Amino acid sequence: KQEVTQIPAALSVPEGENLVLNCSFTDSAIYNLQWFRQDPGKGLTSLLLIQSSQREQTSGRLNASLDKSSGRSTLYIAASQPGDSATYLCAVMDSSYKLIFGSGTRLLVRP
Amino acid sequence: GAVVSQHPSRVICKSGTSVKIECRSLDFQATTMFWYRQFPKKSLMLMATSNEGSKATYEQGVEKDKFLINHASLTLSTLTVTSAHPEDSSFYICSARVQAGEKLFFGSGTQLSVL
């Protein structure tokens, strides 16, 4: 059974810092890996999608990497801003298009 | 981009009543929709997968008689929480898969509070 773990569970940083969020998964037979952002009481915003054959994806200040063989992904956020404060969720998709989510990292960027 | 509309966004009900949550794909046809629930500060747990015109497939531990899912058309799926109890209080989110696509689009979620 696929299990997705995210570390750290919570993170508080001053504005401007670069930071890394970690995600690991137990079964490397994934279709893709996705990173989402969730604001309190809201739905999900898709940030990045990495295909199983890809190593990384970039969007603006965000960069996500994938090492499928070791079951790891990282989300790198450059020059963090208070508006980046949210919960970041990592999820892996299996061949039936089901997404299995990690428990998330709650990020607070202090002004 | 594809939009998924979920209603209501928030509902408060008395114990024993049933609550229906709607999930609509506004500008695309969704052959598959997924329903998740999320407890406070926890991750999303997949409840069931629904395919248009067929019975939903429930994940282990999810009571299908408790959580009724209907996917009658390519743009609408509903989740009905029957005889709701306080332990059913949770955040419910739907997602829709574009036909022949791998990307999922999420609704904005429904916060259910059962008194």
Side-chain angles (χ1 to χ4, degrees):
Chain A
K1 180 184 175 185
Q2 179 73 270
E3 292 184 3
V4 181
T5 304
Q6 289 187 247
I7 295 174
L11 185 62
S12 178
V13 299
E15 182 176 5
E17 270 202 12
N18 302 323
L19 52 99
V20 175
L21 308 182
N22 296 291
C23 172
S24 62
F25 48 96
T26 55
D27 186 350
S28 62
I30 62 171
Y31 196 66
N32 62 46
L33 183 142
Q34 303 183 40
W35 283 92
F36 295 89
R37 168 187 173 137
Q38 185 178 30
D39 292 288
K42 303 293 184 181
L44 305 182
T45 299
S46 178
L47 298 175
L48 291 165
L49 183 156
I50 310 176
Q51 300 286 1
S52 62
S53 58
Q54 295 178 323
R55 299 284 291 183
E56 67 176 342
Q57 281 288 331
T58 298
S59 176
R61 294 182 293 109
L62 305 180
N63 175 275
S65 67
L66 172 64
D67 184 342
K68 201 173 77 162
S69 61
S70 67
R72 295 181 182 181
S73 176
T74 61
L75 178 66
Y76 176 83
I77 303 178
S80 59
Q81 303 171 356
D84 295 331
S85 298
T87 295
Y88 290 80
L89 295 166
C90 167
V92 296
M93 178 178 277
D94 66 16
S95 57
S96 61
Y97 304 101
K98 292 181 183 178
L99 277 176
I100 309 301
F101 285 85
S103 53
T105 293
R106 294 189 304 281
L107 173 65
L108 174 65
V109 181
R110 308 186 305 271
Chain B
V3 177
V4 175
S5 175
Q6 185 174 342
H7 291 282
S9 59
R10 180 178 292 274
V11 57
I12 301 172
C13 69
K14 292 182 179 180
S15 186
T17 60
S18 294
V19 175
K20 180 184 283 189
I21 302 170
E22 290 190 349
C23 181
R24 292 180 185 271
S25 55
L26 296 186
D27 49 3
F28 66 97
Q29 292 185 330
T31 51
T32 306
M33 289 192 177
F34 301 90
W35 288 94
Y36 295 83
R37 68 184 298 181
Q38 184 179 34
F39 292 105
K41 297 186 179 180
K42 299 293 183 183
S43 189
L44 281 75
M45 299 299 295
L46 179 64
M47 298 175 67
T49 303
S50 73
N51 292 294
E52 185 265 338
S54 62
K55 290 184 178 181
T57 302
Y58 291 80
E59 295 299 303
Q60 191 173 10
V62 178
E63 301 175 59
K64 59 182 179 181
D65 295 329
K66 174 71 159 177
F67 300 100
L68 300 179
I69 292 173
N70 182 279
H71 192 161
S73 76
L74 284 171
T75 58
L76 174 65
S77 177
T78 61
L79 167 66
T80 301
V81 183
T82 62
S83 186
H85 288 92
E87 58 265 30
D88 298 323
S89 298
S90 187
F91 191 63
Y92 294 87
I93 305 179
C94 69
S95 69
R97 173 179 164 243
V98 178
Q99 201 168 11
E102 63 177 338
K103 196 159 187 182
L104 302 183
F105 298 92
F106 285 80
S108 54
T110 298
Q111 181 65 54
L112 171 63
S113 299
V114 184
L115 304 178

